[in-house]
Amino acid sequence: SKEQAETLGIKIPDISPNYTRGPNGKEVQSWDVTADVSLGPFSKRACKVRILDNSFRYPLLGQNFFADKLFTIDRQKKEIKFAR
């Protein structure tokens, strides 16, 4: 959400928003920005990030962050396992 992004120090551009579908399938306003993102031992500089004008319980990371990482998803354990 915009509030989550601002809490993390990500600036929302002062431009008209785009519209995209959120994880729940509803259309929401969004802004595309570039930010440095870290998750545990992994980080990505200048990662494309889409900020949605809607609060979801957890922020989502997608292919812009994971595309160059080798990983498997264990749905039973609800884990993402990264190759070293």
Side-chain angles (χ1 to χ4, degrees), residues 29-84:
Q29 292 181 342
S30 66
W31 294 264
D32 293 333
V33 299
T34 301
D36 296 340
V37 179
S38 296
L39 175 68
F42 302 107
S43 62
K44 187 158 190 162
R45 297 185 59 78
C47 186
K48 292 180 183 179
V49 177
R50 179 163 289 162
I51 307 299
L52 303 181
D53 189 23
N54 199 345
S55 292
F56 296 100
R57 186 171 181 188
Y58 301 107
L60 302 174
L61 286 174
Q63 286 299 314
N64 289 337
F65 184 81
F66 290 115
D68 61 347
K69 313 269 186 290
L70 295 175
F71 63 91
T72 57
I73 298 173
D74 186 331
R75 294 186 190 280
Q76 294 263 338
K77 294 182 180 179
K78 299 181 182 179
E79 293 179 343
I80 299 174
K81 296 180 181 182
F82 293 93
R84 292 185 179 203

Side-chain angles (χ1 to χ4, degrees), residues 2-34:
K2 288 174 64 174
E3 292 79 20
Q4 291 167 326
E6 289 168 355
T7 298
L8 296 171
I10 298 172
K11 303 286 186 215
I12 306 299
D14 190 22
I15 59 173
S16 296
N18 298 309
Y19 288 87
T20 192
R21 295 209 182 275
N24 60 5
K26 293 183 180 178
E27 194 171 78
V28 295
Q29 292 181 342
S30 66
W31 294 264
D32 293 333
V33 299
T34 301

